[in-house]
Amino acid sequence: MNIKLKIWRQKNAQAKGKFENYSLEDVSPEMGFLEMLDYLNQKLIKSGGEPVAYEHDCREGICGSCGMYINGRPHGPEAKTTTCELRMRSFKDGDTITIEPFRSRMFPIIKDLLIDRTAFEKILIAGGFISADTGSAPEANSILVCKKHADKAFDMATCIGCGACVAACKNSSAMLFVSAKINQYALLPQGKIEAPERVKKMVAKMDELGFGSCSNTYACEAECPKGISVSAIAKMNREFLHAKLIAED
Amino acid sequence: MTKLNAKIPSGPLSEKWSNYKNSLRLVNPANKKRIDVIVIGTGLSGASASSTLGEMGYNVKTFCYQDTPRRAHSVAAQGGINAAKNYKNDGDSVFRLFYDMIKGGDFRAREANVYRAAEVSNDVIDHYVALGVPFARDYSGYIDNRSFGGVQVSRTFYAKGQTGQQCVLGTYSSLLRQVNKGTVKLYARRDVLDIVIVNGKARGVITRNLVTGEIERHSAHAVVLATGGYGTVYYLSTLAVNSNASAAWAAYKKGAFFGNPSFVQIHPTSIPVLNDFQSKLTLMSESLRNDGRVWVPKQKGDKRIPKDIPEEERDYYLERRYPAFGNLVPRDVASRAAKERCDAGYGVGPTGLSVYLDFKDAINKQGQKAIENKYGNLFDMYEKISGENPYKTPMRIYPAGHYTMGGLWVDYNLMTTVPGLYAIGESNFSDHGANRLGAGSLMQCSCDGFFILPYTISDYLADDIRTGKIPVDTPEFDDAEKSIKEKIQRILSVNGKDTPLDYHKRLGKIMWDYCGMVRNEEGLKKAIGLLSDLKVDFWNNIKVAGKDNELNLELEKALRVADFIELAKLMCIDALNRKESCGAHFREESQTENGEARRQDEAYSFVAAWEHKGDDVEPELHKELLVFENVELKERSYK
Ligand SMILES: Cc1cc2nc3c(=O)[nH]c(=O)nc-3n(C[C@H](O)[C@H](O)[C@H](O)COP(=O)(O)OP(=O)(O)OC[C@H]3O[C@@H](n4cnc5c(N)ncnc54)[C@H](O)[C@@H]3O)c2cc1C
Ligand code: SF4
Ligand code: FES
């Protein structure tokens, strides 16, 4: 099939970016979306142009590197699908596809489609862990976890840190990302002990960095490639309230 | 020939590690603050080493090329992680895990190292649970285990189909806790391009800041490589596409010997190549072979769709050739058998390079629901990629490069032949011999990083408590930086016609054809010639878009491919030298009448450790003879 591309090009963080138009022939439906970009890049390089910079690594939806707006949506048109998992089958011959970096003031553009998501890591550094030194752990089966909670903790832990939730949110809120981590640990006996401190520290960091607040539009859930549910946010709010209450005790 | 000293402690196998640990020197807490350690890599091995060294009080500097440590390739591991807990009471033990790894590796690994890994494997599971890794559990709240990779016990811990991701998130969280405490400093988006040696010891690295292009110097008292495997030498593989060998290759050129470079595991069940633009191969878990039956048509070039091919015209070749194990033969055997059928003209799909993995009988017997429960996510993934529904039509699969057993040679301390330079995780050669068992790598990476390296490196660092900071304004750093800058200028200035991707594909084809699943003398010699030509061609005709002082993904790729071309040649030299078949290394000249691998213990019971002797000079072979005191060498048979 033949397609037209409208891609955001921006030389570096300081430069002013703009859209450039390209057209590609002989795109095959089973090509991955990123393979289509590789194909474009090969053509650009061979004709003396600059390839489009974008981030990727595993190319199977697990590392969280990839991510761009495709026709205005983080990770493109398919539900629960990362950019690298997207296939050209999802588009038709003659389509024009608009490709931009994730747009959020929290994720500055580095070049073209490549962005800086270190703000996420800063939140985790503030408290996204269970404090257990190597060598101090008890026998694994001495910590029993009821299956329901273990499964739920797993679901929360499937977040790949891609940032689509922030990019989808008009307030640039990181609530879905942060609540997934908070809940994972709060659901486990070994994570409960630090839960009040954890939620306070992570929320404080999130606010300090300038992530916006949640106004319940659920855009994050709709675009999350791992299907993290917004119920996590409500649960985190409860954790947060609880933490404040016991602090006042 | 006497240069290699594996430093295996004496005494009975089961007491070696505890006795040895007790004899190691310690560094007191006040002195640890004065010691810097560089760790390159943030997969399971690198992140676990960094956080543990940080907890102990060392100053750790941790590097990775991704934007954050959490994205290291370890996230892709699906199946699980082994430990000798014997939770299922099925007779498992440290010895049995050790034995399975030694046998699985076809008796080409070092007994003492493998035993130690099996011994500390249980501590790893305890620690992951403490860190909040959500392993699968029973309704009773106890941890569940499954059998994996054709072994007879259930010793694999798993978190649905994403055990690697969950273990990475555990190690990553403990790493960030140390960042919070100030013991670990993170350097993400950095490519380590060279190792700096001062007075014979590894004392630092040269990096390129991948955002600004700046060439930087970092010093430390010791350097740890945790840089993963080099399966992407085949271009198409199951690895993350940016995985590369450059740091290990730099270490090799600085004097670290390379162990068994030709030992590569080719995984039998990956989604086959669909088109010329394909950039990676997606693994379909090994567990599918528990219920899927592998077949090809009996008639050559049969183009009918699978459901039109009647039962009696199907060749279930694994069941035919290996009646005892059938579809569950080990990875290397299954891979070679698929290749044999396809090469003989029986392969299916548009390219003829795939075989069917059919769930029809399993669905008929157990019902679609049962199959969905077991493999639902894998079936979905398959459909997303191929566009075909595996409940209705058989999957098509083909082998793909997956894991490199070879890597930097290390002694019992996990130190390379360069003092102060360590290699852990997939980047070393140590525990898997000629073939790795399923779920054995996550285990080894975690054992190395959490529970082994922190002890052994302390013994080495005990000599450095009075050394003081290692300065970076020395001739050694000057020289290393200068040669890296020159290399970059050289690669940018060629301005030829073909891109790094073009070269990577060409390289991959040579390696897949001549140094893949099946090797022979003629092919390997041919490959060595082709690779020498490819290197010359590369340096005369490479085209790298962009400049050095900016984010430049093409430059990153070009530097990696240049190293891969050289490593590929060493792999072929090693494969040529080892005239026996063992594990995943199959030399056509060394097979039984039935076409099975024939090991030659008298001549080849050694680790081949290669020493760099200069560019375009033949490397020198050193042999570490393998001594088996606790197991009896047997032939692997799956008939
Ligand atoms: C699809 C797939 C499934 C698998 N499933 C399993 C499984 O179920 N069980 C199992 O036990 N094993 C499995 N394996 C194997 C296992 O995942 C790997 O062997 C293991 O994760 C390797 O970990 P590592 O710590 O050695 O390195 P990696 O996780 O590969 O990490 C390498 C690190 O080094 C860094 N790095 C590399 N070079 C440089 C450089 N020059 N400069 C700076 N940084 C650098 C990278 O940034 C990265 O952080 C699987 C492998 C694949 C491909
Ligand atoms: S919550 Fe979902 S969208 Fe947000 S970072 Fe995690 S995986 Fe991505
Ligand atoms: S490249 Fe890893 S999730 Fe897309």
Side-chain angles (χ1 to χ4, degrees):
Chain A
M1 56 199 210
N2 300 334
I3 51 163
K4 294 198 169 57
L5 298 165
K6 218 175 123 189
I7 303 180
W8 184 260
R9 303 303 309 262
Q10 181 171 335
K11 213 163 165 38
N12 52 44
Q14 292 74 39
K16 224 174 132 247
K18 65 170 192 318
F19 280 107
E20 297 273 0
N21 295 311
Y22 306 93
S23 54
L24 264 189
E25 284 153 28
D26 295 328
V27 172
S28 78
E30 71 264 26
M31 251 185 189
F33 193 82
L34 297 184
E35 285 158 4
M36 180 276 292
L37 284 180
D38 291 342
Y39 176 39
L40 171 72
N41 277 345
Q42 288 292 92
K43 290 202 156 185
L44 288 177
I45 298 167
K46 291 195 175 171
S47 58
E50 270 254 8
V52 181
Y54 67 89
E55 198 129 43
H56 64 97
D57 202 9
C58 74
R59 295 201 176 203
E60 53 187 46
I62 194 76
C63 75
S65 297
C66 64
M68 47 190 84
Y69 274 133
I70 300 166
N71 290 338
R73 291 186 62 182
H75 293 302
E78 307 288 346
K80 293 196 193 173
T81 303
T82 56
T83 302
C84 60
E85 291 176 295
L86 189 64
R87 301 270 139 183
M88 292 311 289
R89 243 182 254 125
S90 301
F91 303 90
K92 311 188 296 295
D93 186 39
D95 274 1
T96 299
I97 308 173
T98 307
I99 310 174
E100 301 165 78
F102 278 174
R103 302 285 190 188
S104 161
R105 61 173 196 280
M106 298 312 301
F107 297 152
I109 296 172
I110 297 176
K111 183 176 183 173
D112 296 338
L113 307 174
L114 211 133
I115 53 171
D116 176 356
R117 283 168 288 195
T118 42
F120 264 5
E121 197 150 278
K122 290 184 183 143
I123 303 176
L124 296 178
I125 291 172
F129 42 75
I130 294 174
S131 304
D133 281 350
T134 305
S136 63
E139 208 289 324
N141 260 345
S142 67
I143 306 172
L144 298 186
V145 186
C146 93
K147 184 166 164 50
K148 200 173 118 204
H149 288 167
D151 287 350
K152 190 89 193 125
F154 173 85
D155 290 344
M156 292 291 129
T158 57
C159 163
I160 55 174
C162 65
C165 46
V166 174
C169 176
K170 61 181 169 35
N171 306 329
S172 279
S173 166
M175 290 289 262
L176 196 64
F177 169 79
V178 175
S179 63
K181 195 54 22 184
I182 298 276
N183 284 317
Q184 177 199 339
Y185 291 145
L187 281 158
L188 299 170
Q190 63 273 43
K192 268 210 171 72
I193 299 151
E194 291 172 285
E197 278 308 299
R198 182 181 305 118
V199 69
K200 280 194 288 183
K201 284 182 182 156
M202 289 175 74
V203 168
K205 191 50 144 192
M206 176 177 89
D207 292 344
E208 176 200 317
L209 290 166
F211 282 100
S213 54
C214 170
S215 50
N216 298 314
T217 63
Y218 300 165
C220 52
E221 181 185 79
E223 302 299 0
C224 171
K226 297 294 144 180
I228 309 271
S229 149
V230 287
S231 63
I233 298 180
K235 181 136 193 331
M236 172 170 104
N237 287 336
R238 285 202 298 279
E239 288 284 335
F240 187 67
L241 268 178
H242 173 71
K244 285 181 94 173
L245 281 174
I246 52 172
E248 284 161 17
D249 265 357
Chain B
M1 204 54 95
T2 50
K3 269 190 178 171
L4 283 178
N5 180 358
K7 304 204 174 128
I8 301 167
S10 56
L13 188 63
S14 62
E15 289 166 27
K16 281 185 200 292
W17 178 234
S18 38
N19 289 342
Y20 185 65
K21 254 196 322 190
N22 292 335
S23 76
L24 292 174
R25 291 174 299 166
L26 304 172
V27 179
N28 82 38
N31 286 330
K32 285 192 187 122
K33 289 201 192 84
R34 284 189 242 150
I35 292 182
D36 302 324
V37 182
I38 283 176
V39 179
I40 315 165
T42 58
L44 287 194
S45 62
S48 55
S50 298
S51 60
T52 305
L53 292 169
E55 287 162 14
M56 292 164 86
Y58 293 108
N59 288 316
V60 185
K61 306 176 190 182
T62 302
F63 295 80
C64 68
Y65 53 72
Q66 289 90 350
D67 63 329
T68 146
R70 67 177 292 164
R71 307 208 203 281
H73 162 68
S74 291
V75 295
Q78 302 172 350
I81 174 167
N82 285 340
K85 286 278 194 189
N86 192 28
Y87 279 167
K88 293 279 179 190
N89 197 24
D90 50 8
D92 200 11
S93 64
V94 168
F95 186 85
R96 207 177 282 274
L97 173 52
F98 151 78
Y99 182 77
D100 285 348
M101 286 176 74
I102 287 280
K103 176 174 177 237
D106 218 0
F107 305 96
R108 291 295 173 264
R110 196 189 283 154
E111 274 193 343
N113 284 53
V114 178
Y115 192 89
R116 176 177 60 184
E119 200 178 335
V120 301
S121 66
N122 292 342
D123 298 338
V124 167
I125 299 302
D126 295 345
H127 191 51
Y128 277 140
V129 169
L131 289 174
V133 172
F135 286 123
R137 289 184 183 258
D138 288 337
Y139 283 100
S140 53
Y142 288 94
I143 298 177
D144 187 28
N145 291 140
R146 65 181 172 198
S147 149
F148 195 70
V151 295
Q152 287 153 314
V153 293
S154 293
R155 63 161 73 102
T156 302
F157 293 72
Y158 65 101
K160 290 219 173 118
Q162 49 170 268
T163 317
Q165 168 84 312
Q166 293 309 323
C167 291
V168 165
L169 293 178
T171 50
Y172 170 66
S173 70
S174 62
L175 180 69
L176 296 189
R177 178 168 160 251
Q178 293 309 308
V179 174
N180 178 314
K181 290 196 165 169
T183 60
V184 174
K185 189 158 167 28
L186 287 181
Y187 296 86
R189 293 199 194 274
R190 296 296 199 295
D191 246 348
V192 172
L193 297 177
D194 206 0
I195 315 291
V196 183
I197 314 284
V198 182
N199 294 330
K201 294 178 171 176
R203 292 297 202 188
V205 295
I206 303 290
T207 62
R208 181 167 179 274
N209 179 319
L210 299 180
V211 176
T212 63
E214 200 183 327
I215 303 298
E216 308 160 327
R217 306 174 179 196
H218 302 272
S219 70
H221 297 91
V223 176
V224 181
L225 287 171
T227 49
Y230 48 88
T232 35
V233 72
Y234 294 101
Y235 180 59
L236 289 179
S237 78
T238 61
L239 274 78
V241 298
N242 298 315
S243 301
N244 67 88
S246 289
W249 197 244
Y252 168 71
K253 289 195 163 179
K254 285 286 168 83
F257 294 2
F258 215 110
N260 298 332
S262 70
F263 286 178
V264 183
Q265 182 171 77
I266 311 279
H267 199 293
T269 55
S270 138
I271 302 179
V273 178
L274 300 167
N275 61 54
D276 288 347
F277 300 100
Q278 192 136 344
S279 54
K280 92 154 276 173
L281 295 170
T282 301
L283 183 74
M284 286 283 103
S285 169
E286 176 146 60
S287 58
L288 290 171
R289 283 196 281 141
N290 287 330
D291 286 301
R293 296 179 70 195
V294 178
W295 64 276
V296 292
K298 278 189 179 157
Q299 196 187 319
K300 255 186 204 176
D302 192 336
K303 289 286 167 215
R304 286 176 292 177
I305 58 168
K307 79 171 169 40
D308 292 347
I309 302 178
E311 203 56 33
E312 61 281 4
E313 291 179 41
R314 299 175 173 198
D315 177 14
Y316 293 92
Y317 60 86
L318 287 178
E319 298 168 23
R320 169 170 60 78
R321 282 180 67 179
Y322 307 98
F325 277 70
N327 295 295
L328 291 174
V329 290
R331 292 177 179 178
D332 54 326
V333 178
S335 291
R336 280 194 297 275
K339 177 177 160 53
E340 186 278 328
R341 281 295 82 187
C342 294
D343 288 353
Y346 297 92
V348 298
T351 54
L353 285 179
S354 59
V355 299
Y356 291 126
L357 178 62
D358 199 337
F359 296 89
K360 178 173 64 71
D361 293 345
I363 291 174
N364 286 342
K365 228 202 224 127
Q366 306 168 35
Q368 175 155 337
K369 197 85 216 138
I371 297 301
E372 224 174 281
N373 279 339
K374 284 196 227 177
Y375 312 113
N377 59 339
L378 291 168
F379 277 43
D380 289 350
M381 190 150 126
Y382 181 85
E383 187 169 3
K384 244 184 209 172
I385 294 174
S386 70
E388 287 174 358
N389 178 346
Y391 295 104
K392 300 219 165 77
T393 185
M395 282 186 181
R396 283 192 301 110
I397 51 156
Y398 198 65
H402 180 61
Y403 179 88
T404 44
M405 283 74 71
L408 293 171
W409 184 90
V410 289
D411 63 15
Y412 191 71
N413 296 315
L414 303 179
M415 185 150 88
T416 67
T417 47
V418 174
L421 182 63
Y422 292 78
I424 58 176
E426 192 174 341
S427 74
N428 74 25
F429 88 103
S430 91
D431 293 1
H432 307 290
N435 189 33
R436 173 175 72 81
L437 279 191
S441 175
L442 298 187
M443 164 189 151
Q444 178 228 335
C445 290
S446 317
C447 293
D448 284 1
F450 281 126
F451 293 104
I452 300 171
L453 175 93
Y455 287 95
T456 59
I457 202 173
S458 290
D459 184 62
Y460 173 83
L461 293 170
D463 286 332
D464 271 316
I465 50 179
R466 279 180 209 89
T467 309
K469 281 250 172 267
I470 306 292
V472 294
D473 54 349
T474 56
E476 291 85 355
F477 277 92
D478 290 347
D479 288 351
E481 179 177 316
K482 188 162 157 266
S483 74
I484 287 301
K485 284 186 165 161
E486 281 168 6
K487 188 173 174 187
I488 290 174
Q489 284 320 315
R490 209 176 129 212
I491 220 165
L492 285 170
S493 65
V494 178
N495 200 17
K497 288 207 161 50
D498 294 340
T499 64
L501 186 71
D502 293 329
Y503 280 100
H504 202 170
K505 284 186 174 176
R506 264 173 243 169
L507 167 68
K509 181 155 172 35
I510 297 173
M511 292 306 282
W512 187 245
D513 287 348
Y514 301 110
C515 197
M517 275 177 279
V518 173
R519 296 126 183 222
N520 62 47
E521 181 171 336
E522 194 193 332
L524 289 165
K525 284 188 170 153
K526 184 166 174 197
I528 291 170
L530 290 171
L531 291 167
S532 302
D533 296 346
L534 191 70
K535 182 174 170 184
V536 174
D537 194 298
F538 178 95
W539 286 101
N540 284 311
N541 188 41
I542 184 73
K543 182 176 182 68
V544 183
K547 296 198 281 290
D548 60 342
N549 59 353
E550 59 182 8
L551 185 138
N552 187 337
L553 301 168
E554 287 298 303
L555 175 60
E556 291 169 30
K557 261 188 256 176
L559 290 167
R560 291 169 184 164
V561 173
D563 292 338
F564 270 141
I565 294 174
E566 296 182 2
L567 166 63
K569 190 166 161 187
L570 185 67
M571 290 170 70
C572 293
I573 291 174
D574 183 50
L576 186 62
N577 175 70
R578 191 174 287 273
K579 295 195 173 68
E580 66 163 351
S581 295
C582 61
H585 170 67
F586 189 82
R587 278 289 299 262
E588 270 175 348
E589 299 90 335
S590 185
Q591 50 181 311
T592 63
E593 291 112 61
N594 310 323
E596 302 304 330
R598 193 162 61 82
R599 229 175 46 224
Q600 300 177 33
D601 293 329
E602 299 265 295
Y604 291 101
S605 191
F606 63 79
V607 176
W610 296 91
E611 180 182 7
H612 181 64
K613 287 287 180 183
D615 287 335
D616 302 313
V617 179
E618 284 289 302
E620 185 182 338
L621 172 65
H622 302 268
K623 294 179 186 174
E624 180 198 338
L625 295 180
L626 292 168
V627 183
F628 294 93
E629 293 171 339
N630 301 279
V631 299
E632 190 194 333
L633 272 66
K634 284 197 182 135
E635 226 171 89
R636 292 194 312 161
S637 169
Y638 299 97
K639 293 268 167 199

Short mmCIF file of all heavy atoms in Angstrom, two decimals, chain A residues 163-181:
data_model
loop_
_atom_site.label_atom_id
_atom_site.label_comp_id
_atom_site.label_asym_id
_atom_site.label_seq_id
_atom_site.Cartn_x
_atom_site.Cartn_y
_atom_site.Cartn_z
N GLY A 163 4.57 6.25 29.67
CA GLY A 163 4.18 7.66 29.72
C GLY A 163 2.95 8.02 28.93
O GLY A 163 2.55 9.18 28.87
N ALA A 164 2.30 7.03 28.30
CA ALA A 164 1.11 7.32 27.50
C ALA A 164 0.01 7.96 28.35
O ALA A 164 -0.74 8.81 27.88
CB ALA A 164 0.59 6.05 26.84
N CYS A 165 -0.07 7.53 29.61
CA CYS A 165 -1.12 8.08 30.49
C CYS A 165 -0.93 9.58 30.67
O CYS A 165 -1.90 10.34 30.61
CB CYS A 165 -1.10 7.35 31.83
SG CYS A 165 0.55 7.16 32.54
N VAL A 166 0.30 10.00 30.87
CA VAL A 166 0.57 11.43 31.04
C VAL A 166 0.30 12.16 29.73
O VAL A 166 -0.32 13.23 29.70
CB VAL A 166 2.04 11.65 31.48
CG1 VAL A 166 2.37 13.13 31.53
CG2 VAL A 166 2.28 10.99 32.83
N ALA A 167 0.72 11.54 28.64
CA ALA A 167 0.54 12.17 27.33
C ALA A 167 -0.93 12.27 26.96
O ALA A 167 -1.32 13.16 26.21
CB ALA A 167 1.30 11.38 26.27
N ALA A 168 -1.75 11.36 27.47
CA ALA A 168 -3.17 11.37 27.13
C ALA A 168 -3.94 12.39 27.96
O ALA A 168 -5.05 12.76 27.62
CB ALA A 168 -3.77 9.99 27.35
N CYS A 169 -3.33 12.82 29.07
CA CYS A 169 -4.06 13.63 30.05
C CYS A 169 -3.89 15.12 29.77
O CYS A 169 -2.77 15.61 29.61
CB CYS A 169 -3.53 13.32 31.44
SG CYS A 169 -4.27 14.32 32.73
N LYS A 170 -5.00 15.85 29.74
CA LYS A 170 -4.88 17.28 29.44
C LYS A 170 -4.17 18.02 30.56
O LYS A 170 -3.64 19.10 30.36
CB LYS A 170 -6.24 17.89 29.13
CG LYS A 170 -7.27 17.82 30.26
CD LYS A 170 -8.58 18.43 29.78
CE LYS A 170 -9.77 18.22 30.68
NZ LYS A 170 -9.63 18.19 32.11
N ASN A 171 -4.14 17.43 31.77
CA ASN A 171 -3.44 18.06 32.89
C ASN A 171 -2.02 17.53 33.07
O ASN A 171 -1.35 17.88 34.03
CB ASN A 171 -4.18 17.80 34.20
CG ASN A 171 -5.64 18.22 34.13
OD1 ASN A 171 -5.97 19.15 33.41
ND2 ASN A 171 -6.49 17.50 34.84
N SER A 172 -1.57 16.64 32.20
CA SER A 172 -0.29 15.96 32.40
C SER A 172 -0.21 15.34 33.80
O SER A 172 0.74 15.53 34.53
CB SER A 172 0.89 16.91 32.21
OG SER A 172 1.17 17.07 30.85
N SER A 173 -1.22 14.61 34.14
CA SER A 173 -1.22 13.96 35.45
C SER A 173 -0.52 12.61 35.37
O SER A 173 -0.66 11.89 34.39
CB SER A 173 -2.66 13.76 35.93
OG SER A 173 -2.66 12.86 37.03
N ALA A 174 0.23 12.29 36.42
CA ALA A 174 0.94 11.01 36.46
C ALA A 174 0.25 10.03 37.40
O ALA A 174 0.83 9.05 37.83
CB ALA A 174 2.38 11.23 36.90
N MET A 175 -1.02 10.33 37.70
CA MET A 175 -1.71 9.53 38.72
C MET A 175 -1.79 8.05 38.38
O MET A 175 -1.68 7.21 39.26
CB MET A 175 -3.13 10.09 38.93
CG MET A 175 -3.14 11.43 39.62
SD MET A 175 -2.67 11.29 41.35
CE MET A 175 -4.28 11.26 42.11
N LEU A 176 -2.01 7.71 37.12
CA LEU A 176 -2.16 6.28 36.80
C LEU A 176 -0.85 5.55 37.04
O LEU A 176 -0.80 4.50 37.68
CB LEU A 176 -2.62 6.11 35.34
CG LEU A 176 -3.17 4.72 35.01
CD1 LEU A 176 -4.44 4.43 35.79
CD2 LEU A 176 -3.43 4.56 33.52
N PHE A 177 0.23 6.14 36.56
CA PHE A 177 1.56 5.55 36.74
C PHE A 177 1.89 5.41 38.23
O PHE A 177 2.31 4.34 38.70
CB PHE A 177 2.59 6.45 36.03
CG PHE A 177 4.02 6.12 36.34
CD1 PHE A 177 4.65 5.05 35.73
CD2 PHE A 177 4.74 6.88 37.25
CE1 PHE A 177 5.98 4.73 36.03
CE2 PHE A 177 6.06 6.59 37.55
CZ PHE A 177 6.68 5.51 36.94
N VAL A 178 1.71 6.47 38.97
CA VAL A 178 2.09 6.45 40.39
C VAL A 178 1.19 5.51 41.18
O VAL A 178 1.66 4.73 42.01
CB VAL A 178 2.05 7.88 40.98
CG1 VAL A 178 2.33 7.85 42.48
CG2 VAL A 178 3.07 8.77 40.27
N SER A 179 -0.09 5.54 40.88
CA SER A 179 -1.00 4.70 41.66
C SER A 179 -0.75 3.22 41.40
O SER A 179 -0.90 2.39 42.29
CB SER A 179 -2.46 5.06 41.37
OG SER A 179 -2.76 4.81 40.02
N ALA A 180 -0.34 2.89 40.19
CA ALA A 180 -0.05 1.48 39.90
C ALA A 180 1.07 0.98 40.82
O ALA A 180 0.97 -0.10 41.42
CB ALA A 180 0.36 1.31 38.43
N LYS A 181 2.10 1.76 40.98
CA LYS A 181 3.22 1.35 41.84
C LYS A 181 2.80 1.32 43.32
O LYS A 181 3.08 0.37 44.04
CB LYS A 181 4.39 2.33 41.62
CG LYS A 181 5.74 1.99 42.08
CD LYS A 181 6.47 0.73 41.74
CE LYS A 181 6.25 -0.15 40.62
NZ LYS A 181 6.87 -1.34 40.34
#
